[in-house]
Amino acid sequence: MEVMEQQIVDVPLVDATEESLKEYGVMISEAVYAPGLTIPFYQGSVEEGQNLDFVYTGKAVIRTARISHRSPEITWLERHGRMSQIFVGLGSSPFAMVLGKPNHLQGENVPRLEDVKAFRIPAGHGLMIHVGTWHDFPMAFVERPVTVLTMNSDEVVTALASAQSADEMDTGDVYKIDIQRRTGKVLRVPF
């Protein structure tokens, strides 16, 4: 099916900062998250931060994925109603995350396209998305691959890995939709 030009929505590309991400998640950077945790060991040489509010059900899993450059068109967005999720870029390559504000508490099953943004995550940084945040898997922002450390739940990884084909799904804590099928629009990241 040929995509007509008026159906393409260029997703705004913005630099990820604590402020620009606050409605989507929490920036993970060189700055210590919520500093001030009082642990008496190594005082004066270690600044301790509070625990991130990482939420999941079942068993937490931590894994890595190497991401290569791909099409700027976004086919899929998904969300998790019982889990936050963490993505941290390892090494010297930045990456991009396409995110939509959570709207599951309002009973909405499609992201508000005006709230979808592509965030440029600097090399060596990451983010923890809020429960219900719409997202695509990280994208390589430049031609070099990027390795991303991901933290989520075994329930989500098992559901995604057991899919027989790339199609919409509503399994366990994975609600994944085809954006064009649901909205008639093609989302594109303007790299």
Side-chain angles (χ1 to χ4, degrees), residues 5 24 35 48 52 64 77-78 130 135 137 154 156-157 159 172:
E5 190 63 32
Y24 302 85
E48 296 283 355
L52 291 167
T64 57
L77 285 178
E78 69 183 66
H130 298 313
H135 60 285
F137 203 71
D154 183 59
V156 167
V157 173

Side-chain angles (χ1 to χ4, degrees), residues 4-156:
M4 295 186 317
E5 190 63 32
Q6 67 267 22
Q7 293 179 317
I8 294 176
V9 176
D10 281 330
V11 176
L13 183 60
V14 298
D15 290 326
T17 64
E18 187 175 319
E19 181 64 23
S20 68
L21 276 172
K22 72 181 178 183
E23 294 182 274
Y24 302 85
V26 174
M27 182 83 175
I28 299 172
S29 67
E30 295 172 323
V32 173
Y33 175 75
L37 182 62
T38 55
I39 295 178
F41 305 96
Y42 313 109
Q43 287 185 351
S45 64
V46 175
E47 180 182 21
E48 296 283 355
Q50 303 295 327
N51 294 339
L52 291 167
D53 295 323
F54 181 57
V55 178
Y56 65 94
T57 55
K59 178 183 172 186
V61 294
I62 301 171
R63 63 189 182 89
T64 57
R66 180 171 293 282
I67 302 159
S68 298
H69 189 69
R70 63 181 163 110
S71 169
E73 291 183 357
I74 304 301
T75 302
W76 310 104
L77 285 178
E78 69 183 66
R79 69 178 180 200
H80 312 292
R82 299 186 302 270
M83 178 186 75
S84 51
Q85 200 168 11
I86 297 176
F87 301 92
V88 178
L90 305 175
S92 60
S93 294
F95 68 99
M97 286 289 302
V98 174
L99 304 174
K101 292 179 186 176
N103 61 4
H104 61 293
L105 297 178
Q106 292 80 29
E108 297 180 36
N109 290 323
V110 176
R112 294 183 199 125
L113 297 185
E114 64 272 16
D115 291 336
V116 176
K117 295 182 181 175
F119 290 91
R120 235 183 326 248
I121 313 293
H125 291 66
L127 74 152
M128 179 181 71
I129 59 174
H130 298 313
V131 171
T133 296
W134 290 97
H135 60 285
D136 191 20
F137 203 71
M139 302 175 79
F141 185 68
V142 294
E143 292 297 324
R144 290 189 323 259
V146 61
T147 298
V148 175
L149 178 73
T150 68
M151 297 171 215
N152 54 26
S153 73
D154 183 59
E155 174 187 24
V156 167

